[in-house]
Amino acid sequence: ASSVAAPSRKLPPVPGVVKGVDRMEDTFRSLGYAVLRLPVNLASWQYKAAMKAVASLSFPETYRHIFVYYTGHGGNDSIDTPDGNLKLVDITNPFSPTEAPHLEC
């Protein structure tokens, strides 16, 4: 993995996807959040199952906020998966209806 420096900012270079995810995980843990880290390159059904499990076990009774950090390829409100692509609405559906009016894709 190559490093890419952020232009015109004095930020350290981003050392690749794995290190980027490690940094996000460390940041959220340091802020007191529970972190669930999924493996890379999940199939569409695996993403859907993971979001459904998180929603059924913890939201909104236990946790008031859920952050999903995804790094990868996609576009047009979808993400690329090994078996095609997955619409973001399919990931957020398990959390609807909620009292989270700011939930957006």
Side-chain angles (χ1 to χ4, degrees), residues 11-58:
L11 297 174
V14 179
V17 172
V18 174
K19 286 292 182 185
V21 173
D22 289 344
R23 288 179 179 176
M24 289 299 292
E25 182 176 349
D26 291 346
T27 298
F28 279 101
R29 283 191 195 282
S30 73
L31 294 170
Y33 288 94
V35 174
L36 170 64
R37 186 168 180 167
L38 300 176
V40 297
N41 295 323
L42 296 177
S44 297
W45 71 268
Q46 292 171 308
Y47 279 113
K48 290 178 189 178
M51 292 301 104
K52 187 175 181 178
V54 169
S56 68
L57 294 175
S58 62

Side-chain angles (χ1 to χ4, degrees), residues 20-99:
V21 173
D22 289 344
R23 288 179 179 176
M24 289 299 292
E25 182 176 349
D26 291 346
T27 298
F28 279 101
R29 283 191 195 282
S30 73
L31 294 170
Y33 288 94
V35 174
L36 170 64
R37 186 168 180 167
L38 300 176
V40 297
N41 295 323
L42 296 177
S44 297
W45 71 268
Q46 292 171 308
Y47 279 113
K48 290 178 189 178
M51 292 301 104
K52 187 175 181 178
V54 169
S56 68
L57 294 175
S58 62
F59 189 79
E61 294 81 18
T62 306
Y63 299 108
R64 292 182 53 203
H65 302 95
I66 293 177
F67 298 91
V68 176
Y69 175 75
Y70 170 82
T71 182
H73 297 280
N76 298 321
D77 294 327
S78 66
I79 61 173
D80 294 339
T81 61
D83 60 339
N85 70 26
L86 174 63
K87 296 287 183 192
L88 292 178
V89 69
D90 291 335
I91 296 174
T92 59
N93 272 345
F95 301 99
S96 299
T98 69
E99 295 181 18

